[in-house]
Amino acid sequence: MLKTNEKHIVEMVLQCSPCYPKKSRMVSVAGHAGKPFNLPGIGGITLNIEVGDSAFGWEGDHLEPGVSCTANAEKPGEFPNPSLQYYSCVGNKVKVISGKAKGAEGVIIGHHGGAEDLIVDFSRKAKEKMTYDDKMVIFSKGQGLKLVDFQEIKLMSVSPDLLNKMKIKTLPGGKLRIPVTTIIPAECMGSGLGSIDAYTGDYDVMTSDHGLVKKHNLDEMRFGDFVAIMDHDNSFGPAIKKGAITIGIVIHSDCLFAGHGPGVTVLFTCAKPLIEPVLDKNANIGALYKIGRFKR
């Protein structure tokens, strides 16, 4: 097991509610192929899309699996929502505390920039009982987590529980081997570049070049997959840097807008080539927590 500073990080209780779904835009607009579209979009209690489902092929844009949650639906960029985004980490437990779904438990799989919401996996049985007035608590733990013996590898929005479940191996030379389903070249990353904060939100894998998509098997990505972004350092926001590497998790679907595609929430990053990604088709949060399409 990796040695961490877990005993010294802060645990907090946060509160949120499901947020109402949005259309992709209020009017028909053109996608990257120049064709207008008008489709379902961000947010909502999504019944039929779960962790483990493909991030491609849906009649929608920026679709989020499970339940999209916020602390401030009317003003998502204002307090307390930025705090909810920052303190909530992938793998944190979420519990419904009101309504007919009271007592149901879910798992955070990531946060979505721009939408400024959290994405939580719940069972379909629980989702069918939910309303947008329901309240949930998040047992937040993870920000500030460090790897004692790998100081140059930064953790972002990783819960200790998730870290302990991932099949990470130590290698000579101060390196870590982390299982991923997909290796993404630097030039494929788009929307979200320029952000100065990788501890909240996400950034997108561009899918407008079908040749690159097929070459790198990008269209095989699923919600909840762990993926490697090559030559990207997120230490101080997304930046291209030769030899750097970022590991993230897929949190929303493919998109039709130019510069967009499946969203990735950052989990690990290093400015040096100290992370070695290894391909594993089961490198998905669903397989670790037995949730979504991996539920037994």
Side-chain angles (χ1 to χ4, degrees):
M1 184 178 291
L2 294 167
K3 188 177 180 182
T4 72
N5 64 336
E6 179 180 353
K7 291 182 179 179
H8 302 284
I9 65 172
V10 177
E11 295 183 66
M12 289 188 177
V13 173
L14 310 175
Q15 185 172 305
C16 62
S17 295
C19 56
Y20 218 79
K22 303 174 184 176
K23 288 171 75 263
S24 55
R25 287 292 187 271
M26 295 312 294
V27 296
S28 294
V29 292
H32 55 68
K35 297 180 180 179
F37 69 93
N38 198 321
L39 292 167
I42 294 163
I45 300 169
T46 308
L47 296 175
N48 65 326
I49 305 179
E50 299 182 336
V51 163
D53 282 330
S54 175
F56 290 78
W58 299 96
E59 293 295 337
D61 187 275
H62 287 82
L63 294 172
E64 300 168 347
V67 181
S68 304
C69 300
T70 180
N72 188 345
E74 294 184 1
K75 297 180 179 180
E78 296 185 12
F79 181 83
N81 215 48
S83 298
L84 179 75
Q85 288 275 308
Y86 172 73
Y87 285 105
S88 300
C89 293
V90 178
N92 284 161
K93 183 174 75 172
V94 182
K95 188 172 183 178
V96 183
I97 59 170
S98 68
K100 292 183 178 180
K102 183 177 180 179
E105 294 185 354
V107 178
I108 292 176
I109 69 163
H111 29 66
H112 188 175
E116 306 306 328
D117 59 22
L118 297 176
I119 302 167
V120 186
D121 181 272
F122 281 98
S123 70
R124 178 165 183 138
K125 183 178 180 181
K127 289 187 286 188
E128 288 179 349
K129 296 178 181 178
M130 287 182 190
T131 74
Y132 293 98
D133 296 318
D134 287 346
K135 294 179 180 179
M136 305 171 183
V137 292
I138 297 167
F139 298 93
S140 160
K141 186 178 182 181
Q143 295 296 16
L145 188 66
K146 296 177 182 177
L147 298 171
V148 174
D149 298 320
F150 301 87
Q151 293 287 326
E152 292 187 275
I153 299 175
K154 293 186 177 182
L155 306 186
M156 297 179 170
S157 305
V158 180
S159 71
D161 187 58
L162 174 62
L163 182 67
N164 292 334
K165 288 180 184 294
M166 295 180 75
K167 299 173 182 177
I168 298 174
K169 294 184 178 180
T170 59
L171 300 174
K175 294 184 177 181
L176 293 181
R177 178 176 290 162
I178 302 180
V180 299
T181 65
T182 309
I183 295 177
I184 304 165
E187 64 266 30
C188 287
M189 299 309 295
S191 178
L193 292 175
S195 169
I196 59 172
D197 178 12
Y199 288 91
T200 62
D202 70 309
Y203 69 134
D204 288 10
V205 183
M206 295 187 291
T207 54
S208 53
D209 188 320
H210 298 297
L212 277 176
V213 169
K214 290 297 181 184
K215 179 180 179 180
H216 299 286
N217 300 315
L218 301 181
D219 55 352
E220 295 181 12
M221 289 189 293
R222 303 163 297 180
F223 299 113
D225 275 359
F226 300 116
V227 298
I229 304 171
M230 307 306 294
D231 300 316
H232 269 234
D233 175 24
N234 274 268
S235 298
F236 307 101
I240 292 178
K241 184 181 174 87
K242 194 69 176 176
I245 188 165
T246 289
I247 304 293
I249 184 170
V250 178
I251 56 97
H252 71 65
S253 78
D254 190 23
C255 315
L256 296 175
F257 289 114
H260 290 258
V264 178
T265 288
V266 174
L267 301 177
F268 304 79
T269 197
C270 188
K272 298 180 179 179
L274 298 178
I275 298 175
E276 179 182 297
V278 57
L279 290 174
D280 179 352
K281 65 180 181 180
N282 291 316
N284 186 290
I285 193 171
L288 302 181
Y289 284 87
K290 306 304 178 192
I291 58 175
R293 300 303 178 190
F294 296 86
K295 189 174 182 180
R296 291 175 177 172

